[in-house]
Amino acid sequence: MAITLFIVFYSMYGHVEKLAREMQKGAASIEGVEVKLWQVAETLPAEILAKMGAPPKGNAPIIAPDDLVEADGFAFGFPTRFGMMPAQFKAFFDATGAIWKNQQLAGKPAGIFYSTGSQGGGQETTALTAITQLVHHGMIFVPIGYTFGVDMFDMEDIKGGSPYGAGTFAGDGSKQPTEVELEQAYYQGQYIATITKKLKGSSA
């Protein structure tokens, strides 16, 4: 029985995309799981992005709201904007009205991962406020808890992530995801893929 997991992200400076690609590797390591990487459409004009110093987008295909119904599970990733998901991702969710009306995503598991500019920039609130989108669709939020292990308790190094999901600190944009942050993203990919597989198997 084939399981399809969608990893859907928005990334302005590439930090979330790096987490997403590592998560894709982790999910793909679970037998019987097919992983598809998607990005949501950009809503800012090119001239504004240029002024913000944003690099060109990666080659992940742009997802349409109707594409979501094809997946058995999800991982949604985005940077923070004032402690919440950015407008680009919110615009995508706002366009899922027809799917919501028919509750076509109800019962499907979904995880969340994120990037913030600082330690107080919303590592937990960004995930927490995003859960409302999942709730209205009837999706099942799947946090990683503390299952990633001892690295979640390490106080020596600055690192992103929380029980809500994998994360990274972007700083001024020059800071890249650390080895531990990438390992956590890989682990979350494995974790959400395993949960998705269990849920799909139990409903077969």
Side-chain angles (χ1 to χ4, degrees):
M1 179 177 55
I3 305 297
T4 301
L5 180 72
F6 281 7
I7 298 175
V8 186
F9 70 92
Y10 172 77
S11 190
M12 179 172 284
Y13 295 106
H15 298 79
V16 174
E17 182 172 1
K18 287 183 178 179
L19 295 181
R21 293 191 179 277
E22 203 64 26
M23 195 169 293
Q24 181 184 27
K25 295 176 188 176
S29 73
I30 303 301
E31 184 179 358
V33 177
E34 178 187 0
V35 190
K36 294 186 178 181
L37 192 67
W38 302 86
Q39 60 182 323
V40 303
E42 180 59 78
T43 59
L44 292 175
E47 57 268 25
I48 298 298
L49 291 171
K51 290 179 180 179
M52 297 175 72
K57 299 295 182 186
N59 59 4
I62 303 295
I63 192 169
D66 289 345
D67 291 325
L68 291 174
V69 299
E70 300 173 11
D72 299 304
F74 307 92
F76 298 115
F78 29 79
T80 188
R81 295 294 183 269
F82 302 112
M84 298 184 290
M85 69 170 62
Q88 291 88 342
F89 219 100
K90 184 61 168 62
F92 172 73
F93 269 124
D94 284 350
T96 61
I99 298 173
W100 163 79
K101 182 178 180 181
N102 296 312
Q103 287 293 283
Q104 289 173 277
L105 303 182
K108 296 185 178 185
I112 294 172
F113 59 105
Y114 39 81
S115 171
T116 67
S118 66
Q119 290 176 285
Q123 288 275 310
E124 293 191 346
T125 61
T126 301
L128 183 61
T129 53
I131 292 173
T132 59
Q133 311 300 307
L134 311 185
V135 168
H136 282 263
H137 278 285
M139 287 187 275
I140 303 168
F141 175 52
V142 181
I144 61 172
Y146 285 92
T147 61
F148 181 54
V150 295
D151 282 323
M152 297 187 74
F153 297 93
D154 176 32
M155 300 293 288
E156 297 298 320
D157 299 313
I158 296 176
K159 62 183 183 304
S162 76
Y164 289 90
T168 187
F169 293 121
D172 61 1
S174 61
K175 185 181 183 300
Q176 296 301 310
T178 66
E179 182 178 347
V180 171
E181 290 171 340
L182 293 174
E183 287 174 356
Q184 189 176 41
Y186 184 94
Y187 171 79
Q188 187 174 1
Q190 291 181 313
Y191 191 80
I192 187 65
T194 300
I195 296 297
T196 302
K197 187 175 180 180
K198 285 181 179 178
L199 288 174
K200 182 68 178 292
S202 65
S203 63

